[in-house]
Amino acid sequence: MNEELTGRLRAAAEAHQPDRARILARVERGMSGAPVRHRESAGARPWPRIALASLAAAGTLAIGGFAVAAIVQSPPARPDVSATPAAPSGTPRPTPSPPATGRPTTPDRSSTPGPSPSASGAAGSARPGNAHVQDGPLSSAGSLGTNSNSFWAQSNITLTSAQPLTALTVELRITQTGAVQSTGSWRTLPAEDFTVTVQNEGAAVVYRWILKPGRTVPAGQHVFAGQYNHAAGAREVEHDGYRVDAGGPRGALSVWGGFTPAQ
């Protein structure tokens, strides 16, 4: 409580002048239980009533003085020292750790590599030791053309069949090792007998020659070639491969393999 309020309360207490006559009248009415009457003269009042009224007035003044003194002298409220002080704004607070779930971490199987293409003889999988270049009457060989250079190459697939073929699909896969782009293709068999496609599939440029229904490949030797640009330097033929699926009198035939460098 500030000094200004204390001074105002003290001045109010000192200036207070209680109406003694009214207080005495209320005391008399309370003792007699009589209805309100006109105030009697001071000489007519009996002594006991006057003494009792004086005591009541003195008690009222004493109580009022004590109340004012208590207000004036009451010390200001002290802060609650039991409260825990707040941590400074710059003090780091520990971050609670997430509750443990108790479950083991399951590895992501979506990134687990599948079986190697060489297990099925897919084109582009041929390596020394896993090539399958002959199947009964059908044999094959892959080689890099002698006309290849440091920026351009031609990959040849040579097929030899001891019997006519009524179905034939030849696939040449050139791995994208940098700037590989098809510049054309050709075959020694009639162009109108085949459907030819060249597509970018994953990390390779894939050439396909598919024999049209009702056409026949005669017995003999036949060549299928794919031509392409590539990054500067000698073509790394170990990354490339081929696969051939054919059908004839002896049923389905399949061969696959890789390419030998140009001689």
Side-chain angles (χ1 to χ4, degrees), residues 34 39 62 66 68 71 101 134 141-142 144 206 211 246:
R39 192 186 316 173
F66 287 147
V68 173
I71 295 174
T101 60
Q134 185 167 359
L144 193 64
V206 180
L211 184 66

mmCIF file of all heavy atoms in Angstrom, residues 34 39 62 66 68 71 101 134 141-142 144 206 211 246:
data_model
loop_
_atom_site.group_PDB
_atom_site.id
_atom_site.type_symbol
_atom_site.label_atom_id
_atom_site.label_comp_id
_atom_site.label_asym_id
_atom_site.label_seq_id
_atom_site.Cartn_x
_atom_site.Cartn_y
_atom_site.Cartn_z
ATOM 1 N N ALA A 34 -39.074 -0.691 23.110
ATOM 2 C CA ALA A 34 -40.182 0.211 22.858
ATOM 3 C C ALA A 34 -40.064 0.804 21.496
ATOM 4 O O ALA A 34 -38.989 0.866 20.927
ATOM 5 C CB ALA A 34 -40.181 1.320 23.930
ATOM 6 N N ARG A 39 -36.682 12.120 21.317
ATOM 7 C CA ARG A 39 -35.538 12.146 22.210
ATOM 8 C C ARG A 39 -35.870 12.922 23.494
ATOM 9 O O ARG A 39 -36.454 13.978 23.459
ATOM 10 C CB ARG A 39 -34.361 12.830 21.505
ATOM 11 C CG ARG A 39 -33.054 12.654 22.236
ATOM 12 C CD ARG A 39 -31.973 13.469 21.574
ATOM 13 N NE ARG A 39 -32.047 13.336 20.136
ATOM 14 C CZ ARG A 39 -31.286 14.057 19.319
ATOM 15 N NH1 ARG A 39 -30.471 14.954 19.802
ATOM 16 N NH2 ARG A 39 -31.392 13.892 18.020
ATOM 17 N N ALA A 62 -13.601 2.853 19.543
ATOM 18 C CA ALA A 62 -12.385 2.023 19.646
ATOM 19 C C ALA A 62 -12.275 1.053 18.487
ATOM 20 O O ALA A 62 -11.221 0.849 17.891
ATOM 21 C CB ALA A 62 -12.400 1.282 20.986
ATOM 22 N N PHE A 66 -9.313 0.906 15.717
ATOM 23 C CA PHE A 66 -8.496 -0.308 15.459
ATOM 24 C C PHE A 66 -8.547 -0.706 13.991
ATOM 25 O O PHE A 66 -7.570 -1.159 13.408
ATOM 26 C CB PHE A 66 -8.986 -1.459 16.337
ATOM 27 C CG PHE A 66 -8.613 -1.297 17.790
ATOM 28 C CD1 PHE A 66 -9.454 -1.766 18.810
ATOM 29 C CD2 PHE A 66 -7.425 -0.664 18.150
ATOM 30 C CE1 PHE A 66 -9.106 -1.618 20.136
ATOM 31 C CE2 PHE A 66 -7.083 -0.521 19.486
ATOM 32 C CZ PHE A 66 -7.931 -0.986 20.491
ATOM 33 N N VAL A 68 -9.011 1.216 11.369
ATOM 34 C CA VAL A 68 -8.192 2.114 10.547
ATOM 35 C C VAL A 68 -6.719 1.845 10.759
ATOM 36 O O VAL A 68 -5.916 1.806 9.837
ATOM 37 C CB VAL A 68 -8.532 3.584 10.884
ATOM 38 C CG1 VAL A 68 -7.569 4.530 10.174
ATOM 39 C CG2 VAL A 68 -9.968 3.889 10.507
ATOM 40 N N ILE A 71 -5.602 -1.150 8.853
ATOM 41 C CA ILE A 71 -5.463 -0.915 7.410
ATOM 42 C C ILE A 71 -4.190 -0.160 7.117
ATOM 43 O O ILE A 71 -3.450 -0.436 6.187
ATOM 44 C CB ILE A 71 -6.685 -0.147 6.881
ATOM 45 C CG1 ILE A 71 -7.934 -1.013 7.014
ATOM 46 C CG2 ILE A 71 -6.487 0.302 5.456
ATOM 47 C CD1 ILE A 71 -9.217 -0.306 6.650
ATOM 48 N N THR A 101 8.205 -48.344 -29.222
ATOM 49 C CA THR A 101 7.080 -49.190 -29.605
ATOM 50 C C THR A 101 7.343 -50.654 -29.351
ATOM 51 O O THR A 101 6.424 -51.454 -29.303
ATOM 52 C CB THR A 101 6.778 -49.006 -31.097
ATOM 53 O OG1 THR A 101 7.945 -49.379 -31.857
ATOM 54 C CG2 THR A 101 6.435 -47.551 -31.405
ATOM 55 N N GLN A 134 23.565 -71.893 -78.832
ATOM 56 C CA GLN A 134 23.031 -72.903 -79.746
ATOM 57 C C GLN A 134 21.920 -73.697 -79.064
ATOM 58 O O GLN A 134 22.021 -74.056 -77.886
ATOM 59 C CB GLN A 134 24.116 -73.873 -80.222
ATOM 60 C CG GLN A 134 23.607 -74.856 -81.270
ATOM 61 C CD GLN A 134 24.730 -75.595 -81.971
ATOM 62 O OE1 GLN A 134 25.910 -75.359 -81.674
ATOM 63 N NE2 GLN A 134 24.381 -76.478 -82.904
ATOM 64 N N ALA A 141 25.661 -65.834 -82.910
ATOM 65 C CA ALA A 141 26.910 -65.191 -82.535
ATOM 66 C C ALA A 141 26.692 -63.686 -82.551
ATOM 67 O O ALA A 141 25.965 -63.166 -83.407
ATOM 68 C CB ALA A 141 28.036 -65.580 -83.496
ATOM 69 N N GLY A 142 27.347 -62.991 -81.614
ATOM 70 C CA GLY A 142 27.251 -61.537 -81.551
ATOM 71 C C GLY A 142 28.615 -60.915 -81.702
ATOM 72 O O GLY A 142 29.602 -61.398 -81.131
ATOM 73 N N LEU A 144 30.817 -56.888 -82.659
ATOM 74 C CA LEU A 144 30.797 -55.457 -82.951
ATOM 75 C C LEU A 144 31.329 -55.272 -84.371
ATOM 76 O O LEU A 144 32.376 -55.827 -84.741
ATOM 77 C CB LEU A 144 31.675 -54.690 -81.963
ATOM 78 C CG LEU A 144 31.521 -53.173 -81.942
ATOM 79 C CD1 LEU A 144 30.131 -52.757 -81.485
ATOM 80 C CD2 LEU A 144 32.578 -52.561 -81.044
ATOM 81 N N VAL A 206 16.625 -50.671 -76.990
ATOM 82 C CA VAL A 206 16.267 -52.044 -77.360
ATOM 83 C C VAL A 206 15.714 -52.067 -78.789
ATOM 84 O O VAL A 206 14.742 -51.356 -79.099
ATOM 85 C CB VAL A 206 15.236 -52.632 -76.377
ATOM 86 C CG1 VAL A 206 14.881 -54.062 -76.773
ATOM 87 C CG2 VAL A 206 15.792 -52.611 -74.957
ATOM 88 N N LEU A 211 8.965 -61.526 -86.652
ATOM 89 C CA LEU A 211 8.468 -62.094 -87.904
ATOM 90 C C LEU A 211 6.944 -61.999 -87.937
ATOM 91 O O LEU A 211 6.264 -62.371 -86.983
ATOM 92 C CB LEU A 211 8.906 -63.554 -88.031
ATOM 93 C CG LEU A 211 8.538 -64.267 -89.337
ATOM 94 C CD1 LEU A 211 9.294 -63.644 -90.522
ATOM 95 C CD2 LEU A 211 8.840 -65.777 -89.231
ATOM 96 N N ALA A 246 12.670 -68.562 -81.345
ATOM 97 C CA ALA A 246 12.212 -69.006 -82.664
ATOM 98 C C ALA A 246 11.330 -70.238 -82.535
ATOM 99 O O ALA A 246 11.281 -70.890 -81.486
ATOM 100 C CB ALA A 246 13.416 -69.312 -83.571
#
